[in-house]
Amino acid sequence: MAVRPIIIAPDKRLKLACEAVEGVNARVRALMDDMLESMYASNGIGLAAPQLGVLARVIVLDVARADDESQPLRLANPEIRWASDEFTDGDEGCLSLPEHYAPVIRPDRVRVAYFDYENRACEIEAVGLLARCVQHEMDHLDGILFVDHLSALKRNVILRKLTKTKKLAAEAAD
Ligand code: NI
């Protein structure tokens, strides 16, 4: 396992649609392990493969509280099979948009089909934070960031700040 660098927005690699994986083989398992390690290293609760520059439909999640035992989830080719009619509003952040948070409205519950670490077909019904997190990560697989759910005005404020931060970091590195 290895911690890999997480791509920071704005970056066109975060705006691309990802390809389904052809089964969870050793290569996909290694990717899932690296994704989890990279996510934990940044104290995240979810990560999608494109955030590491890999355009594959793979996401990892762990919404356990810091003082509880970890509950890692590794999902390949996730698909939403059902979503509740009830929606909730909750603050979201993203490891690719560090230090920015904004409320996003999403279905409160979803049922998701996917392939697990052993390439078994599985389904989970997610509620609350897990439901929000899995929808956020699945958005990444279609090149959608949480700021894309906000007004253009709010989105541009955040993206401009990120651009500025990147520029300053690049200048400092020179
Ligand atoms: Ni994200």
Side-chain angles (χ1 to χ4, degrees):
M1 291 216 285
V3 173
R4 302 197 212 170
I6 293 171
I7 295 172
I8 305 300
D11 187 305
K12 60 178 184 296
R13 290 170 291 177
L14 295 173
K15 302 304 298 170
L16 302 171
C18 297
E19 300 255 356
V21 298
E22 287 181 37
V24 180
N25 54 25
R27 201 172 48 84
V28 173
R29 278 195 285 276
L31 170 65
M32 288 170 158
D33 291 340
D34 283 0
M35 286 169 65
L36 269 179
E37 196 168 337
S38 307
M39 181 191 87
Y40 288 134
S42 296
N43 296 314
I45 60 171
L47 193 73
Q51 294 178 275
L52 298 185
V54 180
L55 297 178
R57 300 190 79 84
V58 176
I59 63 173
V60 296
L61 311 155
D62 190 340
V63 298
R65 290 169 192 274
D67 44 353
D68 287 345
E69 208 165 314
S70 62
Q71 293 167 11
L73 283 170
R74 304 164 178 90
L75 285 65
N77 301 342
E79 276 181 37
I80 292 188
R81 286 289 158 82
W82 171 84
S84 66
D85 293 332
E86 299 93 67
F87 288 73
T88 54
D89 198 350
D91 265 353
E92 292 190 19
C94 180
L95 294 176
S96 292
L97 295 94
E99 290 169 46
H100 292 279
Y101 302 89
V104 177
I105 295 167
R106 296 191 189 270
D108 184 44
R109 290 191 296 151
V110 288
R111 195 162 62 235
V112 178
Y114 64 99
F115 290 87
D116 73 1
Y117 200 67
E118 276 78 40
N119 200 37
R120 292 175 300 213
C122 299
E123 240 181 54
I124 44 164
E125 189 154 329
V127 193
L129 180 60
L130 181 61
R132 174 168 299 284
C133 191
V134 76
Q135 292 174 80
H136 172 118
E137 301 313 330
M138 286 180 66
D139 269 357
H140 276 294
L141 305 180
D142 293 314
I144 298 166
L145 303 175
F146 81 85
V147 290
D148 294 319
H149 293 284
L150 310 178
S151 68
L153 182 70
K154 286 182 186 164
R155 175 167 61 250
N156 289 334
V157 166
I158 292 175
L159 292 176
R160 267 203 300 273
K161 283 182 181 162
L162 285 164
T163 303
K164 200 171 160 189
T165 307
K166 270 186 163 181
K167 212 171 138 193
L168 289 172
E171 281 167 10
D174 276 345

